[in-house]
Amino acid sequence: MNLQTLSNDTIVALATPQGIGAIGVIRLSGPAAISICESVFATKNLKKKTLNDKDSHTIHFGVIHDEDIILDEVLVSLFKAPHSYTSENTVEISCHGSGFIQQQVIQLFLKKGARMANQGEFTLRAFLNGKLDLSQAEAVADLISSNSATSHQVAMQQMRGGFSNQIKTLRQNLIDFASLIELELDFAEEDVEFADRSDLKNLVSTIQRIVQRLIDSFEVGNVIKNGIPVAIVGKPNAGKSTLLNVLLEEDRAIVSDIPGTTRDVIEDELNIDGVLFRIIDTAGIRETNDIIESIGVEKTYEQIKLSSIAIYLFDVHEITPNELTQIVKDIQPHLHNSQLILVANKIDKEDMAYTYREFEGFKDMLFVSAKENQGIDLLKKHLVHLFDNRTVNVTETIVTNARHVEALRHTNVALIKVLDGLNMNVTGDFLAMDIRTALHHLGEITGEISSDDLLANIFSRFCIGK
Amino acid sequence: MNLQTLSNDTIVALATPQGIGAIGVIRLSGPAAISICESVFATKNLKKKTLNDKDSHTIHFGVIHDEDIILDEVLVSLFKAPHSYTSENTVEISCHGSGFIQQQVIQLFLKKGARMANQGEFTLRAFLNGKLDLSQAEAVADLISSNSATSHQVAMQQMRGGFSNQIKTLRQNLIDFASLIELELDFAEEDVEFADRSDLKNLVSTIQRIVQRLIDSFEVGNVIKNGIPVAIVGKPNAGKSTLLNVLLEEDRAIVSDIPGTTRDVIEDELNIDGVLFRIIDTAGIRETNDIIESIGVEKTYEQIKLSSIAIYLFDVHEITPNELTQIVKDIQPHLHNSQLILVANKIDKEDMAYTYREFEGFKDMLFVSAKENQGIDLLKKHLVHLFDNRTVNVTETIVTNARHVEALRHTNVALIKVLDGLNMNVTGDFLAMDIRTALHHLGEITGEISSDDLLANIFSRFCIGK
């Protein structure tokens, strides 16, 4: 398979989700897109309708017909190269939202010479035609799967080229210096230095700091994309599953109001004010009491280790402040990067006046009744607040893609080698080698450097039709 | 609720199915559709983009933004009144196929003054604006849910107005005569006959015959729309569930090749060469042997009664021709309208030469091995063949809608009364009353006569966004 060369056939696919809806859109792209559509497009009375002579970005009403059988009344949107998503001639057919009709129309296009598009092939063509670079193409997939305001904003910024431009600028600066160094190598016998060593050092260390910052941003980026991992821990009967339900219940009520929201739930996710949280080991929380009993202290610590935020939930009537102090002490060594919230549950059960005073001394402690849905709003606000404190500014570039951070790490290693080399006054050819390595890895991000495997890997994340 | 008057607000809904896809389309329709979209539409650099000054049927690239937050890069399709589906100003926004983004964009439009569309409200507006009559609107819903070539063709023909025109012509002919009769009533004292009685009789009996034919077509129409009911009956271990699986298996293999085909399976459906069959009581067939044993002869006869085609399946090595003759005799009285196919199974088990000769005398008998998938293609061809023999020509008008057939039956009763009246020489006022009744019921079909309840009932079948 050769993915790095544009094939010159015409591809077709359903661009809208499968299922019953008002309309469905079928997308054709390639040199023959317009002529294939023309060959089956007509007026209501089956008089041939032309498209090739029409302006780009216009819409035409007619029918799609297979000989004398009318498959559907449709609207055809015309996009002429290079003014389309793929940069090729593209036609989008908006037909009635019946799977049967869509299938008939696609089959007809296949019969007329189009072929079924592979996953992400429209976007691959956009990339190969220079409409998007690789990191922008990846952002399209992220955008489609974004399910919170922050992940959406980060993907949007990346798709619009913010991140790409930053990488390209860094790369260009490095290339300029690299070419001076390479020039030195050509004149090796003459022992001249075209590249000023102290300028080079300044430049490389500036770039290295930026690369380091981008690498660091991945911790936040990953959390934005996949949700902030939250552990809910506590003794059996503290009310963990009730708390989980009350947190998710409200979320679901909000989400289900609005059409267009479907989620493949792997772990339970919680979207609060546009920030995505991911509850660790929901299964564990939901298990029957018998099994919960068997989950020991070790398991609890493991969950805390995996989390960014750990909620320690307890029955406020079953624990003394001294015991709680000891528990916090026990948990502390396992917290690493995560933050602890103490949540006192079951405040609905007894008069709390005395209890509140008892626990005054604990910071980051909240009082709730999971059962009666009291104090839950405050808990949610607190979760968002903890996220705000952790995050760098979202308007800065944030790396959310594991592939990018991997390339940045390789770049970073090479840049540090260059800096070491400069400090040790190594010769130009050594410097040149490390700079080339850095350039290579930076180029991987935007796709200036790419391979079939890389492209196959990236575009297999897309749905067919994108 | 008043559904018969057009509301002058602007409605919005997702027009494509929910779920993840390459794109999703949001539809805005109403007087403020263009201005609402304009208020949040801009270039990539957030410079305002106008739409109102652009031509109808043109497409515009830009971003949808909520203040300084960019929600998505989109294509906006512009349809200016009356050149749109609804006859109103309409804007379709093609955005990325993320439920999150679609929800954000719809929320933004709601904030800017649109309201969420009700089920079928776009089509209701098209009806109220005279773009479609009621029977055409109903055909749109049928078209979307069509899942076989025949149901698709019938719905398409109805949407394109074939059926409506026929009804309207009948009605107009009746109206012409009715007005002559009404004229007589105005001149009652003068005892004149403007309406020639023998012409009237000819006309009414012609119309009545057409109405009767349309009523009769419903039997086929219903079968086209819902599938031809097929019963698979036979003794335990005859191989019924194997046969069912092999029939469905092939069908699924064909269907699943093509994206866009999803089905809510209530009963198992089988699409052969564009004809839809519906297997009765799949659950019964799939039940374990223990339960099958308990399904007696009564149950078998009940299934045959519900079917249009009954397959009697038997193990060809376990039954003699005489026994089979007796079984056919027993089944016969229960067949009513259905046709019987005898299917001899397990031809793979032994040498069949002798057996074939033994059963020579039976017509409509097929030999198969469900297990080895032998003879199954012939069985399928035979099923389609039986359907072809039953059906009237699909190019003739076929009534598929229970509401229409109900109205036609009422019309028929009134027309027969008119004919009886003419035979008995009743006075014009009695004839006029019955003709008015006939006109009323014909008018219900196309929506010249409608009520809120009727409209609510019809449009509740639609999805939101259509």
Side-chain angles (χ1 to χ4, degrees), chain A residues 218-258:
Chain A
F218 180 67
E219 200 201 338
V220 174
N222 192 37
V223 142
I224 286 175
K225 194 159 152 184
N226 298 317
I228 299 158
V230 176
I232 302 179
V233 297
K235 291 183 183 165
N237 294 323
K240 296 191 291 293
S241 95
T242 312
L243 178 66
L244 178 66
N245 281 332
V246 74
L247 284 172
L248 295 176
E249 195 61 43
E250 302 222 329
D251 184 38
R252 287 210 178 111
I254 293 163
V255 170
S256 63
D257 267 338
I258 302 145

Side-chain angles (χ1 to χ4, degrees), chain B residues 180-248:
Chain B
L180 289 178
I181 299 249
E182 307 266 354
L183 203 60
E184 283 179 20
L185 301 182
D186 291 342
F187 293 83
E189 284 109 65
E190 301 176 26
D191 195 22
V192 289
E193 278 196 3
F194 292 102
D196 182 276
R197 289 299 182 267
S198 96
D199 282 1
L200 183 56
K201 204 163 151 182
N202 281 337
L203 174 76
V204 173
S205 64
T206 305
I207 294 178
Q208 190 269 330
R209 273 197 306 274
I210 297 173
V211 167
Q212 185 63 55
R213 198 200 65 71
L214 289 172
I215 293 170
D216 292 344
S217 78
F218 181 66
E219 200 202 338
V220 174
N222 192 37
V223 142
I224 286 175
K225 195 159 152 183
N226 298 317
I228 299 159
V230 175
I232 302 178
V233 297
K235 292 184 183 162
N237 293 322
K240 296 192 291 293
S241 94
T242 312
L243 178 66
L244 178 67
N245 282 333
V246 74
L247 284 172
L248 295 176

Side-chain angles (χ1 to χ4, degrees), chain B residues 230-241 243-244 279-281 284-285 292 295-307 309-315 319 324 327-328 331 334-335 338-345:
Chain B
V230 175
I232 302 178
V233 297
K235 292 184 183 162
N237 293 322
K240 296 192 291 293
S241 94
L243 178 66
L244 178 67
I279 313 292
I280 292 172
D281 191 22
I285 301 176
I292 288 180
I295 297 178
V297 177
E298 282 313 308
K299 177 81 180 177
T300 300
Y301 292 156
E302 203 181 290
Q303 289 178 12
I304 291 175
K305 219 172 276 175
L306 290 170
S307 71
I309 297 174
I311 294 176
Y312 183 78
L313 186 74
F314 59 95
D315 182 336
I319 216 164
L324 187 61
I327 288 168
V328 172
I331 290 178
H334 303 279
L335 280 175
S338 58
Q339 289 178 274
L340 180 66
I341 314 179
L342 301 173
V343 179
N345 194 16

Side-chain angles (χ1 to χ4, degrees), chain A residues 35 71 82 128 156 169 221 227 229 247 267-268 322 361-362 383 391 397:
Chain A
S35 63
L71 297 183
L128 293 175
M156 181 65 75
T169 308
L247 284 172
E267 293 182 292
D268 275 304
N322 282 342
F362 292 90
L383 286 169
T391 181
T397 305

Side-chain angles (χ1 to χ4, degrees), chain A residues 14-25 27 44-45 57-61 63 69-73 75 77-79 85 92 94 96-104 106-107 116 140 143-149 152-153 156 159-160 255 258-262 271 463-466, chain B residues 14-25 27 44-45 57-61 63 69-73 75 77-79 85 92 94 96-104 106-107 116 140 143-149 152-153 156 159-160 255 258-262 271 463-466:
Chain A
L14 182 67
T16 46
Q18 298 183 14
I20 287 184
I23 62 169
V25 177
R27 191 182 262 174
K44 281 188 162 198
N45 306 316
H57 290 64
T58 55
I59 304 168
H60 307 274
F61 177 78
V63 304
I69 295 174
I70 292 175
L71 297 183
D72 201 6
E73 295 185 354
L75 288 171
S77 297
L78 192 64
F79 303 91
Y85 181 67
E92 289 186 357
S94 170
H96 282 91
S98 137
F100 179 80
I101 290 177
Q102 290 154 13
Q103 158 194 336
Q104 297 285 310
I106 289 173
Q107 290 296 329
M116 209 63 207
V140 172
L143 197 63
I144 288 177
S145 62
S146 67
N147 53 2
S148 73
H152 165 245
Q153 281 305 105
M156 181 65 75
M159 188 185 77
R160 290 164 55 80
V255 170
I258 302 145
T261 330
T262 53
N271 188 331
C463 51
I464 288 174
K466 188 71 215 179
Chain B
L14 183 67
T16 46
Q18 299 182 13
I20 287 184
I23 61 168
V25 177
R27 190 182 262 175
K44 280 188 160 196
N45 305 317
H57 289 63
T58 55
I59 303 167
H60 306 275
F61 176 78
V63 303
I69 295 175
I70 292 173
L71 297 184
D72 202 6
E73 294 186 355
L75 288 171
S77 297
L78 192 63
F79 304 91
Y85 182 67
E92 290 186 356
S94 170
H96 282 90
S98 136
F100 180 80
I101 289 177
Q102 290 154 13
Q103 156 196 335
Q104 297 285 310
I106 288 173
Q107 291 295 331
M116 209 64 207
V140 172
L143 196 65
I144 288 177
S145 64
S146 67
N147 53 2
S148 73
H152 165 244
Q153 281 306 102
M156 182 65 76
M159 188 185 76
R160 289 164 58 79
V255 170
I258 302 144
T261 329
T262 53
N271 188 330
C463 53
I464 290 173
K466 188 71 212 176

